[in-house]
């Protein structure tokens, strides 16, 4: 699902979102960097992504530039922070490996967020940062579940666990939700499985761009059986683009996704993929879909 940029105290880890049915708390588009001027009228959150930026400082600079734009438009932000928590392959590719400097780098980054007013510790209402996004589709980036020390039992990948612990061990970010989106392959056994890893995140999304509406929502319900919805929340990631590699099916029906989100109190965010697609058509350039998601997003943003 990645695009290039050019184109535990569970009670404390809950967001302000109630688990009762009603409007999802957030509406915004996946990989929304550079697009808040276009869609800030009907979104209340933006996804700041830094994929394919080889240099960590360049990624950090982009994050702060996008945070400034989000704050100016009174939007919250989900921040892609994989460059701080992992080392990656050539051209920022998978697999992800441990970043030996992650603790120092994370603490310095958090200090910057606080000093510039984007993160107010223990005060999500006053913060621009709503969640951190350490890794996209972890099961496809070498962070699938691993065998335990006994060689038989399975556990979450220790590289993933240690990276998330870096966020949670910092007192200023311990209560900020950690989010991730998995592919439909997260539940397969063997090297692609993420049965235990998926339980490490506060907000968990699922993408499957080849599934129709019924199949996709069935998989969302299956995901809910693998997490603890007493404290974990769900992100819906409907396909909202066409004519691009990897988009195997017709876009999911916006109203169907919205109805599901409103009826399910575990859904914290509706995050269509995506507003602008550099290799195809995104929601921005599909008139009927733009109209539908503008209406839906405006209801979430403005209707109590």
């Amino acid at each position: 699902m990645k695009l290039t940029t050019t184109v535990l105290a569970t009670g404390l880890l809950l967001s302000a979102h109630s688990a009762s049915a009603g409007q999802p708390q957030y509406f915004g588009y996946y990989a929304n960097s550079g697009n808040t001027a276009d869609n800030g009228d009907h979104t209340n959150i933006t996804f700041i992504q830094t994929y394919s930026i080889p240099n960590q400082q360049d990624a950090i600079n982009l994050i702060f530039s996008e945070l400034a734009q989000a704050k100016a438009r009174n939007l919250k932000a989900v921040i892609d922070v994989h460059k701080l928590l992992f080392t990656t392959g050539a051209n920022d590719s998978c697999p992800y490996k441990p970043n030996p400097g992650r603790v120092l780098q994370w603490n310095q980054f958090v200090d910057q967020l606080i000093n510039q007013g984007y993160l107010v510790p223990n005060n999500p209402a006053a913060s621009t940062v709503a969640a951190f996004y350490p890794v996209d589709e972890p099961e496809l980036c070498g962070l699938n579940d691993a065998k335990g020390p006994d060689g038989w039992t399975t556990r979450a990948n220790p590289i993933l666990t240690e990276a998330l612990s870096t966020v949670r061990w910092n007192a200023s970010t311990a209560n900020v939700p950690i989010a991730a989106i998995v592919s439909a392959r997260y539940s397969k056994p063997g090297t692609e499985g993420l049965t235990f890893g998926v339980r490490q995140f506060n907000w968990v999304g699922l993408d499957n761009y080849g599934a129709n509406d019924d199949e996709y929502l069935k998989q969302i319900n299956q995901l809910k059986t693998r997490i603890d919805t007493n404290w974990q929340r769900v992100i819906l990631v409907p396909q909202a683009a066409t004519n691009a590699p990897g988009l195997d099916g017709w876009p999911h029906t916006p109203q169907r996704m919205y109805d599901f989100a409103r009826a399910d109190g575990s859904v914290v965010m509706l995050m269509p993929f995506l507003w602008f697609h550099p290799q195809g058509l995104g929601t921005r350039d599909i008139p009927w879909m733009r109209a539908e998601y503008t209406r839906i997003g405006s209801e979430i943003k403005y209707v109590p």
Side-chain angles (χ1 to χ4, degrees), residues 49-260:
Q49 61 114 349
T50 63
Y51 307 131
S52 300
I53 300 180
N55 182 273
Q56 184 193 79
Q57 189 56 55
D58 289 343
I60 292 172
N61 291 343
L62 175 66
I63 288 171
F64 280 97
S65 174
E66 290 292 316
L67 282 172
Q69 296 179 55
K71 186 173 184 178
R73 294 178 173 86
N74 197 31
L75 304 176
K76 299 295 186 182
V78 177
I79 306 175
D80 163 23
V81 291
H82 77 280
K83 294 295 292 185
L84 290 150
L85 299 176
F86 302 97
T87 58
T88 60
N91 298 316
D92 201 33
S93 60
C94 296
Y96 288 3
K97 297 181 180 180
N99 174 7
R102 67 182 180 277
V103 174
L104 176 61
Q105 293 166 18
W106 181 257
N107 292 342
Q108 291 174 338
F109 175 67
V110 171
D111 287 344
Q112 284 183 271
L113 289 174
I114 294 171
N115 292 338
Q116 296 189 35
Y118 300 121
L119 177 66
V120 182
N122 301 309
N123 190 344
S127 299
T128 302
V129 176
F132 296 115
Y133 195 92
V135 55
D136 186 60
E137 299 176 330
E139 72 284 0
L140 304 183
C141 280
L143 299 174
N144 41 279
D145 292 342
K147 292 296 182 184
D150 60 9
W152 293 94
T153 58
T154 304
R155 59 177 176 168
N157 191 298
I159 297 174
L160 176 63
T161 300
E162 290 168 5
L164 304 192
S165 294
T166 302
V167 180
R168 289 175 174 147
W169 286 342
N170 184 303
S172 297
T173 56
N175 299 338
V176 180
I178 300 176
I181 294 169
V182 299
S183 73
R185 285 177 280 182
Y186 85 96
S187 61
K188 291 186 177 181
T191 58
E192 293 180 334
L194 201 75
T195 301
F196 290 89
V198 79
R199 301 173 190 171
Q200 305 297 304
F201 301 97
N202 303 89
W203 298 354
V204 187
L206 170 70
D207 64 69
N208 188 344
Y209 306 134
N212 63 27
D213 289 354
D214 289 340
E215 292 168 339
Y216 178 67
L217 295 178
K218 179 180 179 180
Q219 290 173 350
I220 289 291
N221 283 325
Q222 290 172 340
L223 172 66
K224 288 174 56 183
T225 69
R226 294 180 167 94
I227 63 175
D228 184 351
T229 54
N230 288 312
W231 67 275
Q232 291 181 280
R233 296 290 175 260
V234 174
I235 303 170
L236 291 189
V237 191
Q239 178 177 332
T242 62
N243 300 328
L247 302 181
D248 304 318
W250 187 249
H252 295 133
T253 306
Q255 187 63 43
R256 180 81 185 277
M257 301 298 112
Y258 184 35
D259 289 344
F260 184 94

